[in-house]
């Protein structure tokens, strides 16, 4: 299929090819073109998808609210006094200013700071300052009706304590959207009430798709992250697996504790499998509790277009991937525990949270490698990446030495984008 796009360094739109159904050769212009970024907002984020918004635990009581994004669209999520959760565009119907300016808190209603238009927790316009004018002069016209004006409202779906939103009437029910295997693996981790233990945002110097591909890429984990292999947290020789839902957009990869696995395959290929002489001063960092009673000590799960559910040992987190232009991505981290955690488990989780994040022992490199790609392909818009590890399919084949879930992402992406 041909698409006309503008690439960096180009003075005019150029036809770029991507054959229909091709998933093993990804054109680099897909990470660069402003036309693509604009289409993504309409066809994906405002289209028939479920966008992760927040945790139900973050809007636990009436009056609680959080602000977030759905692609580039700012969103308010609030629990009203009827106990239901609502979400609406964070945009005043008057002149377009943000309605809520902070990250969250508690409120009875919202008043736009610009001209004091007032909204309830459902997003309904309830009052307009000087609607009747002053001393009989000015004010809104007699035909003005508050119920005709307001920010766009989102459909809400809640699954295992995760709050999703959509502007589309065509998006399928949330469990159908997730697929049975992914839904089961979400409930495996989010099996009881959670509490938020921390939040931070990491800015990445690359297109959002490069990071979302990265977390689906089981092939790179034990090659890029030498902490994984040095301390035998994740090696491709360990027992593990991967599932991809039929749409291709959602996946889960997982591995099990296996102290018998060796580095033979790595050494035979001359790969760096561990850092010689590198030891932990505090070995308790890797003391793990099998809290889900299945021996699975690592699971990374994604839901299209931007949710990552992380279990690395006992470090649990939600990652939200948000585009911030063609060449920048916001990665919002919310670390969690369970409401019934003992003091010892709370300490263990806080300690193991050092494994992931921008300076994480395991995943520090993920914050840089997407930028390496973005810089590397700066003038290669007409060239293609090779995504052929494990063949050309999008289903798991009993190995993590595959890029099936990356191809699954592109299958789902192309379906939504019509590319």
């Amino acid at each position: 299929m041909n698409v006309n796009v503008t690439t960096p360094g180009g003075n005019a739109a150029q036809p770029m090819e991507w054959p229909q159904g091709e998933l093993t050769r990804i054109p680099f212009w897909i990470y660069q073109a402003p036309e693509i970024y604009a289409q993504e907002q309409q066809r994906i984020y405002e289209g028939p998808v479920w966008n992760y918004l927040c945790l139900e635990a973050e809007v636990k009581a009436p009056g609680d609210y959080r602000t977030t994004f759905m692609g580039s669209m700012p969103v308010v999520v609030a629990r009203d006094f009827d106990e239901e959760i609502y979400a609406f565009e964070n945009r005043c119907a008057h002149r377009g200013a943000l309605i809520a300016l902070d990250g969250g808190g508690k409120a009875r209603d919202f008043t736009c700071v610009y001209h004091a238009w007032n909204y309830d927790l459902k997003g309904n316009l309830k009052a307009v300052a000087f609607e009747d004018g002053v001393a009989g002069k000015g004010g809104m016209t007699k035909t003005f009706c508050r119920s005709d004006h307001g920010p766009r409202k989102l459909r809400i779906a809640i699954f295992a304590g995760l709050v999703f939103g959509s502007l589309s009437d065509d998006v399928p029910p949330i469990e159908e959207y997730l697929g049975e295997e992914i839904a089961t693996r979400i409930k495996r981790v989010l099996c009881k009430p959670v509490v938020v233990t921390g939040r931070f945002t990491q800015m990445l110097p690359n297109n959002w798709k490069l990071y979302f591909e990265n977390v689906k890429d089981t092939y790179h984990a034990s090659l890029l992250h030498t902490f994984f292999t040095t301390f035998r947290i994740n090696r491709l020789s360990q027992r593990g697996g991967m599932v991809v839902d039929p749409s291709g957009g959602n996946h889960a990869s997982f591995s099990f504790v296996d102290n018998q696995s060796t580095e033979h395959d790595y050494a035979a290929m001359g790969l760096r499998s561990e850092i010689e002489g590198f030891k932990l001063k505090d070995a308790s960092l890797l003391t793990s509790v099998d809290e889900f009673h299945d021996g699975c000590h690592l699971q990374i799960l994604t839901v299209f277009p931007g949710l990552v559910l992380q279990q690395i040992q006992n470090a649990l987190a939600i990652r939200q991937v948000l585009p911030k232009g063609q060449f920048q991505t916001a990665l919002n981290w919310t670390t969690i525990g369970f409401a019934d955690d003992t003091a010892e488990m709370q300490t263990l989780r806080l300690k193991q949270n050092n494994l992931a994040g921008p300076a994480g022992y395991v995943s520090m490199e993920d914050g840089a490698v997407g930028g390496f790609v973005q810089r590397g392909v700066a003038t290669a818009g007409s060239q293609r990446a090779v995504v052929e590890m494990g063949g050309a399919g999008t289903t798991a084949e009993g190995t993590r030495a595959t890029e099936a879930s990356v191809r699954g992402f592109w299958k789902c992406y192309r379906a939504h984008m019509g590319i």
Side-chain angles (χ1 to χ4, degrees):
M1 182 176 293
N2 293 343
V3 181
N4 289 330
V5 298
T6 303
T7 57
N11 295 320
Q14 304 174 22
M16 294 293 173
E17 296 182 355
W18 194 356
Q20 187 73 34
E22 174 59 73
L23 302 176
T24 65
R25 299 293 185 270
I26 312 304
F28 290 127
W29 54 257
I30 201 69
Y31 308 109
Q32 302 169 329
E35 295 91 341
I36 294 297
Y37 183 82
Q39 289 174 18
E40 288 170 349
Q41 304 309 309
Q42 297 176 341
R43 298 181 184 182
I44 294 179
Y45 296 103
E46 297 181 25
V49 305
W50 284 113
N51 297 271
Y52 169 75
L53 300 177
C54 68
L55 287 163
E56 191 175 13
E58 296 180 280
V59 285
K60 190 174 182 178
D64 290 349
Y65 72 92
R66 292 289 303 167
T67 59
T68 184
F69 288 85
M70 198 170 76
S72 294
M73 178 191 292
V75 170
V76 177
V77 185
R79 189 180 291 273
D80 195 17
F81 293 94
D82 63 3
E83 301 286 347
E84 296 296 322
I85 294 176
Y86 298 88
F88 52 91
E89 187 177 16
N90 190 1
R91 174 189 59 82
C92 181
H94 179 217
R95 299 289 295 278
L98 292 172
I99 296 170
L101 300 177
D102 54 9
K106 205 167 188 68
R108 294 196 64 83
D109 54 23
F110 300 102
T111 300
C112 176
V113 69
Y114 199 180
H115 296 92
W117 283 33
N118 178 264
Y119 301 84
D120 65 17
L121 298 178
K122 295 182 176 70
N124 298 315
L125 178 60
K126 304 303 291 183
V128 172
F130 299 113
E131 182 175 357
D132 297 325
V134 178
K137 297 180 181 180
M140 303 298 288
T141 64
K142 298 301 182 182
T143 58
F144 176 78
C145 179
R146 290 194 297 270
S147 63
D148 292 338
H149 301 275
R152 287 177 285 182
K153 296 178 181 178
L154 279 60
R155 294 178 60 195
I156 290 292
I158 299 174
F159 182 83
L162 302 169
V163 180
F164 296 89
S166 181
L167 281 173
S168 174
D169 292 329
D170 298 324
V171 63
I174 186 63
E175 292 203 34
E176 180 182 336
Y177 183 85
L178 296 171
E180 183 178 356
E181 288 185 297
I182 303 302
T184 297
R185 289 199 161 271
I186 290 175
K187 289 189 288 187
R188 170 189 168 271
V189 175
L190 302 179
C191 56
K192 51 186 174 179
V194 305
V195 292
V196 173
T197 59
R199 298 187 186 93
F200 58 91
T201 297
Q202 179 181 3
M203 298 305 296
L204 306 176
N206 52 263
N207 186 273
W208 70 274
K209 297 184 288 296
L210 285 169
Y211 183 80
F212 208 54
E213 280 182 298
N214 174 274
V215 290
K216 290 175 174 289
D217 178 3
T218 53
Y219 175 39
H220 87 280
S222 62
L223 299 170
L224 177 66
H225 307 307
T226 52
F227 194 94
F228 262 153
T229 47
T230 297
F231 296 103
R232 300 178 183 272
I233 299 172
N234 185 9
R235 293 173 176 239
L236 290 180
S237 53
Q238 285 177 321
R239 187 166 60 95
M242 181 181 67
V243 294
V244 184
D245 84 307
S247 79
N250 312 322
H251 105 291
S253 62
F254 46 90
S255 61
F256 297 84
V257 175
D258 182 4
N259 294 323
Q260 302 304 312
S261 69
T262 72
E263 67 280 1
H264 173 73
D265 291 337
Y266 293 82
M269 290 184 285
L271 299 173
R272 52 178 192 157
S273 60
E274 58 184 73
I275 303 174
E276 188 175 351
F278 188 69
K279 300 184 183 302
L280 289 172
K281 186 173 182 179
D282 181 5
S284 69
L285 174 69
L286 298 181
T287 299
S288 181
V289 175
D290 185 13
E291 59 183 315
F292 303 117
H293 311 295
D294 56 9
C296 178
H297 71 298
L298 189 148
Q299 176 179 283
I300 300 296
L301 181 151
T302 63
V303 176
F304 187 89
L307 170 67
V308 183
L309 173 59
Q310 164 206 303
Q311 176 216 346
I312 303 176
Q313 308 279 55
N314 300 106
L316 309 179
I318 303 293
R319 309 179 201 170
Q320 182 189 30
V321 183
L322 292 173
K324 295 297 178 182
Q326 298 153 249
F327 308 124
Q328 192 172 50
T329 300
L331 181 58
N332 294 330
W333 297 73
T334 304
T335 59
I336 60 174
F338 294 120
D340 64 356
D341 280 350
T342 63
E344 292 76 16
M345 179 58 83
Q346 291 173 3
T347 299
L348 179 60
R349 292 199 203 282
L350 290 172
K351 184 181 293 186
Q352 290 188 353
N353 282 341
N354 290 294
L355 294 172
Y361 297 133
V362 168
S363 63
M364 172 176 59
E365 299 88 352
D366 287 332
V369 73
F372 296 164
V373 176
Q374 195 77 62
R375 289 154 57 189
V377 305
T379 60
S382 62
Q383 303 301 306
R384 293 171 174 80
V386 179
V387 186
E388 205 168 340
M389 180 62 63
T394 61
T395 57
E397 297 177 349
T399 178
R400 288 175 294 140
T402 179
E403 292 168 313
S405 52
V406 178
R407 291 188 291 271
F409 166 74
W410 289 112
K411 173 186 174 183
C412 184
Y413 178 90
R414 297 192 72 174
H416 281 284
M417 290 287 288
I419 292 177

